[in-house]
Amino acid sequence: ELDYYFTVKATKGDNVSEESEMYYAYGVAAPAVKEATDIDPRGGYTANWDFAPKATGYIVTSYQVYTATADETGHAVLDDDFTSVESEGTPETPSNYGNGYEYISLDELTTSKGWTGIGVALANGMIGCNESHYVQFNLQSPVMDLNNGDGKFKVTITAWGWEADALMVQCGDAITGEMIGEAQLVNFETQGLNTATLEFEGGTENTVLLFYTYNFGPFFIDEIKVEQDLKKGEEVLTYLSQTIVDGAENSCRISGLTRGDNLLYAYNVASIREEFSNYCTSDMSEKVYVSLKGNVESAGNDESVNTVYANGNTVNVVLTEDAEINVYNTAGQKVLNMAGTAGANSFDLNGNGIYIVTADGKAYKVTINE
């Protein structure tokens, strides 16, 4: 919450200059994140954090978390063939996307979210960049978690380009801005599609790949796969979305998620500060992990038919058709009976503890902890 200022003096031997003017150390702290609330097993939760001093906004980034249940060789951290890119353009006569002078998000085009680019051009089923001798047009991959496998990973890519040109693939860290290793090449031995597998080292939790051509010619990526070996228990975080939130808010709803046996979700938050034409962001907060199962445990039944979850002392039961709902405590006493209807049904339970909810012949264990 404090303001900081500094001044500078120059020295040479015993000589010391006068003090410079006082400079304001403009910045903002990362917020302290809190546990997620309002977890909906159907695909949503609310991210929460404490207000940060001087913050005028927040950036909420959400991730999907995959945990390896056994050692894996060649786990696909990124796999995209750009079939979602629909365009009348071809590599020889592409269609332009964006104004060509600033980086733009490509989320509306791609299956994997987080692609950006400058000078973007489209061909049906492919995405790339136009020719330019003045600006280095390029694509940037989503931020990838490549910290496992001792940081070693491989990139298999099929790309189109001019004969005798080459696609440069550079690895870097999205947070520090540092380049990782030397750029590697996909040589275009003939005009058209060329495939290569490149091996990298030094992957971090925030790895990004940069794509551009050696001779400033056009290029188009048709397919790309980034793979890394995993050991049992290692996690891979995949970027899902980023939301800008006004500084008056300290929560954000994340929705549209997929539920899977080995899937968790996570989020972190950075502060934004805008003041007197100055703009800065903080470091990222710690990550908060979220299970869509919430505090619900299956009692060995298929959970695809009905969904049962608890928020506070409220139990929610989602039915596909009308069915009787019963609730029992751990002593086997029935504490509630109601006629459930197709859709969402809610009721409150008084008293912390474990309860068994039965509906349509299936049982679910919920924990009430107000």
Side-chain angles (χ1 to χ4, degrees):
E1 298 181 7
L2 300 177
D3 292 323
Y4 291 89
Y5 300 83
F6 65 87
T7 61
V8 180
K9 295 180 181 180
T11 65
K12 182 178 181 181
D14 295 332
N15 298 316
V16 181
S17 75
E18 294 182 358
E19 193 171 51
S20 71
E21 293 183 3
M22 189 173 290
Y23 189 86
Y24 178 45
Y26 185 81
V28 65
V33 283
K34 302 164 68 174
E35 292 298 313
T37 56
D38 298 328
I39 297 172
D40 185 343
R42 292 167 294 180
Y45 65 86
T46 298
N48 302 282
W49 59 92
D50 289 330
F51 291 110
K54 303 184 180 67
T56 59
Y58 300 96
I59 304 172
V60 183
T61 306
S62 68
Y63 309 86
Q64 177 178 289
V65 184
Y66 172 82
T67 304
T69 57
D71 291 353
E72 293 186 36
T73 300
H75 174 81
V77 178
L78 176 69
D79 190 358
D80 209 330
D81 59 8
F82 301 108
T83 54
S84 56
V85 178
E86 297 181 358
S87 171
E88 296 180 356
T90 65
E92 293 81 4
T93 56
S95 58
N96 296 328
Y97 189 80
N99 59 24
Y101 298 103
E102 60 185 358
Y103 280 99
I104 57 174
S105 170
L106 305 177
D107 282 355
E108 292 184 356
L109 301 173
T110 58
T111 302
S112 303
K113 302 308 178 185
W115 283 92
T116 60
I118 182 172
V120 177
L122 305 179
N124 194 43
M126 291 185 276
I127 193 165
C129 291
N130 283 307
E131 173 190 12
S132 174
H133 292 285
Y134 305 102
V135 179
Q136 188 183 73
F137 289 160
N138 62 77
L139 293 181
Q140 290 191 28
S141 74
V143 177
M144 295 173 287
D145 181 2
L146 292 169
N147 191 47
N148 298 308
D150 296 323
K152 297 179 181 179
F153 62 96
K154 66 180 181 180
V155 179
T156 302
I157 184 170
T158 299
W160 184 99
W162 282 347
E163 183 178 359
D165 203 350
L167 180 65
M168 310 289 287
V169 183
Q170 177 71 64
C171 178
D173 188 285
I175 300 300
T176 66
E178 296 178 358
M179 292 293 109
I180 301 172
E182 299 292 329
Q184 299 194 43
L185 285 72
V186 178
N187 290 304
F188 297 136
E189 298 179 359
T190 59
Q191 178 169 314
L193 292 174
N194 294 261
T195 301
T197 297
L198 312 174
E199 296 187 357
F200 290 87
E201 296 184 359
T204 68
E205 292 181 355
N206 302 289
T207 301
V208 65
L209 296 178
L210 183 70
F211 306 90
Y212 55 95
T213 48
Y214 185 78
N215 292 324
F216 297 93
F219 72 91
F220 293 88
I221 300 176
D222 183 50
E223 294 182 63
I224 182 171
K225 179 180 286 189
V226 180
E227 299 172 284
Q228 188 172 60
D229 294 344
L230 301 178
K231 294 180 181 179
K232 181 179 179 179
E234 289 186 327
E235 296 177 344
V236 178
L237 275 72
T238 302
Y239 168 90
L240 291 180
S241 66
Q242 202 164 70
T243 306
I244 306 298
V245 180
D246 185 83
E249 303 292 333
N250 64 342
S251 66
C252 174
R253 188 67 183 169
I254 307 295
S255 58
L257 306 177
T258 301
R259 187 174 180 178
D261 290 339
N262 297 326
L263 292 181
L264 289 172
Y265 292 91
Y267 65 90
N268 55 16
V269 186
S271 301
I272 299 171
R273 186 180 178 191
E274 292 185 84
E275 184 178 317
F276 305 123
S277 301
N278 292 313
Y279 178 93
C280 70
T281 59
S282 72
D283 293 335
M284 287 289 192
S285 71
E286 297 293 326
K287 291 186 177 72
V288 174
Y289 288 79
V290 185
S291 170
L292 294 188
K293 292 181 180 179
N295 57 359
V296 180
E297 297 180 36
S298 168
N301 295 297
D302 179 7
E303 293 184 273
S304 64
V305 177
N306 302 304
T307 299
V308 179
Y309 61 101
N311 287 324
N313 69 330
T314 300
V315 177
N316 302 276
V317 181
V318 181
L319 299 174
T320 56
E321 57 185 27
D322 294 350
E324 184 180 42
I325 299 173
N326 292 293
V327 181
Y328 301 85
N329 61 21
T330 53
Q333 299 170 321
K334 184 184 293 186
V335 297
L336 183 142
N337 171 265
M338 63 179 289
T341 59
N345 302 264
S346 298
F347 51 87
D348 293 337
L349 292 177
N350 296 320
N352 294 342
I354 296 174
Y355 295 86
I356 303 300
V357 179
T358 64
D360 195 24
K362 297 177 176 60
Y364 303 85
K365 183 170 68 175
V366 298
T367 302
I368 301 300
N369 185 17
E370 296 183 65

